[in-house]
Amino acid sequence: QVQLVESGGGLVQAGGSLRLSCAASGRTFSSSAMGWFRQATGKEREFVTSISWNPSRTDYLYYADSVEGRFTISRDNTKNTVYLQKKSRMTEETTVYYCAAGPGIGDYNSDAQYEHWGQGTQVTVSS
């Protein structure tokens, strides 16, 4: 069983930045596609960004249009960890961010493409 553990959530000032981490264990991390999703209270979970592979096996980054340039995904294969750098908006709902993992190449913007999920980490924006 693959284990994914998110961390880095908490309280952030409006307009401020934070970095979320997702540590993976149980399989070789470098061969996996990794994604981030978010879910605000009372809303459906939605895709934020993913990092997978080009056919050449170089990194392929994909972002949802809705994130409006406020997120950056990266990963450190030596640590089996993927990161999400986030800049909050001036007003933003409390949101839980989920890390997910799956194999393959491409955009990986669908829940069905991921096989494993973390428990989530909550981000609350103060104003």
Side-chain angles (χ1 to χ4, degrees):
Q1 181 179 359
V2 173
Q3 298 288 328
L4 302 175
V5 180
E6 301 97 335
S7 62
L11 184 66
V12 62
Q13 293 291 326
S17 298
L18 78 165
R19 188 180 72 169
L20 307 180
S21 299
C22 174
S25 62
R27 69 165 54 179
T28 302
F29 177 79
S30 61
S31 63
S32 299
M34 303 293 297
W36 286 97
F37 294 75
R38 64 183 177 184
Q39 185 173 25
T41 302
K43 297 183 179 180
E44 297 293 323
R45 185 168 60 192
E46 65 176 349
F47 171 77
V48 177
T49 180
S50 65
I51 182 167
S52 56
W53 303 105
N54 287 307
S56 61
R57 299 297 294 177
T58 56
D59 285 346
Y60 178 82
L61 278 60
Y62 183 82
Y63 295 91
D65 292 339
S66 61
V67 304
E68 301 175 356
R70 295 183 175 271
F71 295 86
T72 302
I73 190 171
S74 62
R75 64 175 160 190
D76 185 342
N77 290 333
T78 65
K79 298 180 179 179
N80 285 353
T81 300
V82 65
Y83 304 98
L84 181 67
Q85 185 72 33
K86 166 184 167 59
K87 183 177 181 180
S88 65
R89 295 181 293 179
M90 296 304 297
T91 58
E92 189 171 325
E93 295 177 285
T94 296
T95 303
V96 177
Y97 286 81
Y98 297 92
C99 175
I105 299 172
D107 295 346
Y108 270 79
N109 62 346
S110 172
D111 291 9
Q113 296 174 291
Y114 295 91
E115 300 176 348
H116 305 96
W117 294 80
Q119 294 299 119
T121 184
Q122 183 172 281
V123 175
T124 300
V125 178
S126 64
S127 60

